[in-house]
């Protein structure tokens, strides 16, 4: 696993803890975006037992759908295609990829 991937996993875990605090609710969307993105990346990068890959892909789809549901409820889409677009029904990971790209650009992440 790449060091940058491991660093992002630690950052996502930190966000999970912060979101659980009473004053951390404003970080929920960032957590969902980054969690979906890291699982998406792992699903594409995993060189492991096929059963492990299937589990990671399942988790990536789950978090992508969770992000989309959050955005549907809050109207928080930042990418070009809104969460309400029906094409995301068949491509939830595509939605999370779009939203992660928008997050990276908005936060000037290298």
């Amino acid at each position: 696993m790449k060091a940058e991937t491991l660093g992002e996993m630690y950052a996502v875990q930190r966000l999970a803890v912060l979101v659980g605090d009473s004053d951390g609710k404003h970080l929920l969307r960032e957590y969902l975006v980054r969690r979906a993105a890291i699982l998406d990346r792992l699903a594409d990068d995993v060189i492991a037992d096929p059963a492990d890959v299937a589990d990671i892909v399942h988790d990536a789809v789950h978090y992508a759908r969770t992000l989309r549901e959050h955005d549907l409820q809050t109207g928080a889409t930042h990418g070009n295609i809104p969460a309400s677009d029906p094409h995301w029904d068949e491509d939830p990971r595509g939605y999370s990829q779009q939203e992660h790209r928008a997050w990276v650009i908005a936060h000037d992440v290298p």
Side-chain angles (χ1 to χ4, degrees):
M1 181 177 306
K2 296 178 184 177
E4 65 190 39
T5 301
L6 189 57
E8 182 63 9
M9 290 173 76
Y10 286 134
V12 168
Q13 277 305 113
R14 182 175 184 276
L15 279 169
V17 170
L18 293 172
V19 166
D21 289 344
S22 59
D23 61 345
K25 298 299 180 205
H26 67 286
L27 298 170
L28 178 59
R29 186 170 194 282
E30 179 181 352
Y31 166 73
L32 293 173
V33 167
R34 292 175 74 181
R35 177 71 186 227
I38 195 69
L39 287 167
D40 188 67
R41 191 175 314 139
L42 288 173
D44 289 341
D45 289 347
V46 169
I47 300 173
D49 184 296
D52 293 339
V53 174
D55 288 344
I56 293 170
V57 169
H58 178 270
D59 289 348
V61 169
H62 168 75
Y63 275 95
R65 286 183 176 146
T66 302
L67 170 62
R68 183 175 176 225
E69 283 299 317
H70 176 271
D71 287 358
L72 285 168
Q73 292 174 4
T74 63
T77 299
H78 294 239
N80 293 332
I81 304 172
S84 60
D85 191 293
H87 118 264
W88 298 127
D89 294 342
E90 299 299 319
D91 186 19
R93 287 177 62 195
Y95 180 74
S96 69
Q97 292 164 1
Q98 168 190 268
E99 294 305 301
H100 187 254
R101 281 189 300 273
W103 183 87
V104 165
I105 290 167
H107 291 86
D108 200 26
V109 175

